[in-house]
Amino acid sequence: MTGVIEPSFRESVDLMFDRAVRLMDLPPGLEEKIKVCNATYTVRFGVRLRGSIQTFTGYRSVHSEHMEPVKGGIRFAMGVNQDEVEALAALMTYKCALVETPFGGSKGGLRIDPREYEEHELEQITRRFAYELAKRDLIHPSQNVPAPDMGTGEREMAWIADQYRRMNTTDINANACVTGKPAHAGGIQGRVEATGRGVQYALREFFRHPDDVARTGLSGKLDGKRVIVQGLGNVGYHAAHFLSTEDGAKITGIVERDGGLVNPKGMDVDAVRDWVAQNGGVQGCPEGSFVPDGAKLLEEDCDILIPAAIEGVINLENAARIKAPLIIEAANGPVTAGADEVLRKMGVVIIPDMYANAGGVTVSYFEWVKNLSHIRFGRMQRRQEEARHQLIVDELQRLDEHLGDAWSMTPNFKEKYLRGADELELVRSGLDDTMRIAYQSMSETWHRRDDVEDLRTAAYIVAIGRVADSYRAKGL
Ligand code: NAD
C-alpha cells in the first residue's frame, strides 16, 4: 500500500476531535472555538556560529487560552513545522484538561538537529530563541510556560530560565517561567522520569480494570508481559526501565533510529541505553539481535507496544500488520487517524497519547506550583509527620515488650513507617493519583456509553467537556 495519502498530524488530531464532538451536545459555534489554534508565532533569527551567521526557524503555538498560563514543551528536531506544533499544542489543551492541570495548551519547536552542534553553540541558539519568545510573553510564568520535549531536556530548560531571569531581573516568580529545570536550579525531583513513570502508572491502572484488559485478550498483570518500545530517549527509556525493573515486564524489542534489537527473553534496558550513549545507536549491542529495518519491529508479536519516539509511525502502511493487542502511545501522535480506524476495527486497544504521556505535564504542574510557592514539597510537614509516627511506634514497642513472644512487629515496619515522605515520594504519589483518576474518567465514559467505541474518543469527550465548561463559565 505505498503512496497512500494520509492527513497531516494536525488534521489527524482534528479528525479525532470531530469524532468525539459528534457524540457531544455542544452549543453551536463552541466546537469550532475549542478546535482552532488561537495563534502561532514564527520566528527566524540569526546566530553567529563558526565564522558565519546561521539562520534558524522556530515556532510557539498557543492553541487555547481558556486557562492561563498555557503550557507545552519545546522540541528541537529537523521535522519541526507549523502543522506539527499546532497539532501538539492542541493535544496539550486536551491533555491538561484530561489530567486536570490548570493550563491551556501550547507547544514550541526549533528546526534544528541538536546533535550537529557543540554545547556552547546550542546554548547560544537556545538563549536567542528564548529571548525572541520571552520578549513577546511567549515565555512567562503567568502566561506561557514551556517544558522539555524531543531533543531538549534539563540543560536547555536551565538556559531558558536563566535567559528569562536576565530579561526580568525583578520578577520574583522568574523560576516558574519554564519547567523541567534541573533540581539544583529550581526544578523538582522526579520531573526527568515523569513521563515514563506516568506510562508505567497508566499501564498499572489499565491492568486494574479487568473488563478493559479482557478487550485485549490479555490477562493477569504486567508481570511477564512482552513489551516492544520504539525510542529509547527520555520517555521510552524510563517507561521501559520501570516496567522491566519494577513490574516484571520483559522488554523483547527496542527500536532506535539506526534499527532495532530483539530478544524474546527480554533485555536489560540500562545496558542498551549505555550502549546507545557510547555508540550512537543499537547496532552491535549484545543484549539482542540487530534488525536493520527497525520499523518492522513494530509489527512483531508482543503483548504491549510502546511507540515513544515520533508521530505517525503507525499509519495506513503498516496498521493492518500490527500484532500487539495493546498499544500505549507514549509519544504524541504515533498512530495516524487512518491507522486508528484500522486498529479499532481489528480490536486493538489503544491507550491514547493525551492520557498516556501526561505524566510530564503533571509533574511540570507540581514544579510550577513549587516555584510559585518558593518552598519544597514536604519541607514543613516531614519531620512533624515522623514525630507523630514515632508516638505510635513507641506505643507498639511497649506492647511488643509486654506481650513477649505472643506478638511482635513485622521486620522493617518501624523503619518504613517512621520515614516521612520526601519530595520525590510526594511527586510520585501525586502523579500516581492523577494517572489513576484520569484513567477512571476515560474508562467510565467508554463503558457508560454504547456509542463510545474506544479510549481515545472517551478521552476527547472528557477533555472537550471540561474545556467547554470552562468557556461556559466565562460566559462564552
Ligand atoms: P528524546 O529526544 O529524549 O527521545 C526520542 C528518542 O527517539 C531518541 O532516543 C531518538 O533517537 C529516538 N528516535 C527518533 N526518531 C526515531 C525513529 N524514527 N525511530 C526510532 N527511534 C527514533 O524525546 P522524548 O522527550 O523522549 O520524547 C519522545 C516523545 O514523547 C515525543 O513524541 C514527545 O512529544 C513525547 N513526550 C515527551 C515528554 C517529555 O517529558 N519529554 C512529555 C510528553 C510527551
Side-chain angles (χ1 to χ4, degrees):
M1 274 223 298
T2 45
V4 261
I5 305 211
E6 294 212 61
S8 71
F9 186 11
R10 192 181 52 74
E11 287 163 349
S12 253
V13 171
D14 285 350
L15 284 169
M16 291 166 180
F17 175 97
D18 291 343
R19 243 186 122 235
V21 158
R22 275 199 292 275
L23 307 177
M24 300 176 75
D25 190 18
L26 293 179
L30 186 54
E31 165 192 338
E32 187 61 13
K33 173 65 210 83
I34 295 176
K35 184 163 131 180
V36 294
C37 189
N38 288 4
T40 301
Y41 171 69
T42 308
V43 59
R44 297 182 187 85
F45 59 89
V47 181
R48 181 172 289 280
L49 295 169
R50 304 173 195 177
S52 70
I53 294 174
Q54 290 193 28
T55 303
F56 297 90
T57 304
Y59 305 88
R60 186 81 185 157
S61 178
V62 175
H63 174 261
S64 174
E65 293 150 292
H66 67 287
M67 281 194 189
E68 284 180 310
V70 293
K71 189 117 191 51
I74 289 186
R75 174 177 284 198
F76 282 4
M78 283 310 285
V80 164
N81 57 53
Q82 182 169 344
D83 187 279
E84 183 185 75
V85 286
E86 290 188 355
L88 291 164
L91 276 176
M92 281 307 297
T93 297
Y94 311 135
K95 188 180 303 184
C96 290
L98 182 66
V99 295
E100 297 179 282
T101 54
F103 301 127
S106 183
K107 201 80 183 192
L110 187 64
R111 198 182 299 151
I112 182 179
D113 182 352
R115 292 168 303 172
E116 286 186 1
Y117 295 89
E118 304 280 336
E119 185 166 3
H120 70 275
E121 294 173 325
L122 269 178
E123 178 174 351
Q124 250 181 291
I125 300 163
T126 307
R127 281 184 183 277
R128 183 64 205 277
F129 185 33
Y131 169 80
E132 294 294 336
L133 297 182
K135 76 177 181 192
R136 291 171 178 87
D137 291 340
L138 290 164
I139 296 177
H140 192 285
S142 62
Q143 293 193 37
N144 198 322
V145 184
D149 194 75
M150 216 164 81
T152 59
E154 288 187 319
R155 183 183 63 175
E156 288 74 14
M157 301 307 115
W159 291 332
I160 292 173
D162 188 59
Q163 186 62 37
Y164 178 86
R165 215 175 291 114
R166 287 185 190 186
M167 297 164 69
N168 299 274
T169 49
T170 55
D171 184 349
I172 195 171
N173 292 321
N175 256 347
C177 77
V178 64
T179 56
K181 303 176 292 292
H184 61 265
I188 193 167
Q189 300 290 336
R191 174 59 184 88
V192 176
E193 65 169 45
T195 311
R197 185 61 88 178
V199 171
Q200 175 197 32
Y201 289 163
L203 280 171
R204 283 185 181 173
E205 185 58 16
F206 177 82
F207 279 94
R208 283 189 200 106
H209 288 70
D211 289 353
D212 298 0
V213 178
R215 297 194 188 210
T216 62
L218 297 169
S219 58
K221 297 277 173 198
L222 279 162
D223 191 27
K225 294 286 180 295
R226 298 161 305 151
V227 176
I228 294 179
V229 57
Q230 182 194 38
L232 208 59
N234 181 337
V235 180
Y237 160 72
H238 284 103
H241 168 81
F242 293 135
L243 288 168
S244 57
T245 57
E246 298 178 7
D247 295 294
K250 277 196 295 186
I251 309 301
T252 55
I254 292 177
V255 188
E256 256 299 323
R257 288 177 207 258
D258 66 323
L261 289 179
V262 254
N263 184 346
K265 293 197 181 114
M267 290 175 265
D268 176 340
V269 176
D270 287 78
V272 179
R273 188 191 61 161
D274 292 348
W275 180 275
V276 174
Q278 275 162 27
N279 301 281
V282 290
Q283 186 166 15
C285 176
E287 281 295 314
S289 328
F290 181 66
V291 180
D293 184 1
K296 275 277 159 211
L297 276 192
L298 301 177
E299 301 165 22
E300 277 292 306
D301 196 17
C302 67
D303 299 315
I304 306 171
L305 181 59
I306 311 185
I310 50 167
E311 55 264 18
V313 292
I314 300 171
N315 45 48
L316 285 173
E317 300 270 355
N318 61 4
R321 294 192 299 274
I322 298 290
K323 296 193 192 70
L326 175 62
I327 299 175
I328 177 157
E329 296 181 325
N332 281 309
V335 176
T336 63
D340 193 52
E341 189 98 29
V342 174
L343 292 165
R344 194 172 340 109
K345 288 191 180 131
M346 283 161 61
V348 175
V349 173
I350 300 177
I351 303 179
D353 46 7
M354 156 189 343
Y355 165 70
N357 64 37
V361 74
T362 301
V363 176
S364 275
Y365 168 45
F366 301 155
E367 179 177 333
W368 181 72
V369 170
K370 174 186 175 179
N371 293 152
L372 293 178
S373 59
H374 299 267
I375 188 163
R376 148 170 66 77
F377 288 109
R379 181 158 179 182
M380 300 293 277
Q381 54 284 57
R382 184 172 174 190
R383 301 299 168 195
Q384 192 258 0
E385 194 187 329
E386 285 181 4
R388 289 174 72 88
H389 286 182
Q390 184 71 53
L391 285 176
I392 294 179
V393 166
D394 289 346
E395 283 305 296
L396 288 174
Q397 198 115 36
R398 263 182 359 100
L399 207 59
D400 199 355
E401 282 157 19
H402 181 69
L403 291 176
D405 288 345
W407 183 83
S408 67
M409 269 191 268
T410 313
N412 295 336
F413 165 77
K414 208 168 122 180
E415 292 71 29
K416 279 194 198 158
Y417 189 68
L418 272 182
R419 207 164 48 84
D422 61 15
E423 185 173 80
L424 183 60
E425 282 167 289
L426 291 170
V427 162
R428 285 178 178 164
S429 152
L431 175 59
D432 193 12
D433 184 56
T434 304
M435 297 307 288
R436 287 191 200 202
I437 290 178
Y439 186 84
Q440 287 157 18
S441 61
M442 276 189 320
S443 177
E444 194 266 330
T445 305
W446 189 22
H447 291 294
R448 184 167 41 86
R449 296 178 51 157
D450 290 339
D451 53 1
V452 176
E453 291 176 67
D454 57 354
L455 278 169
R456 190 188 313 278
T457 309
Y460 270 94
I461 288 177
V462 174
I464 296 166
R466 287 184 185 154
V467 178
D469 286 347
S470 158
Y471 275 121
R472 274 197 209 101
K474 288 180 174 176
L476 201 74

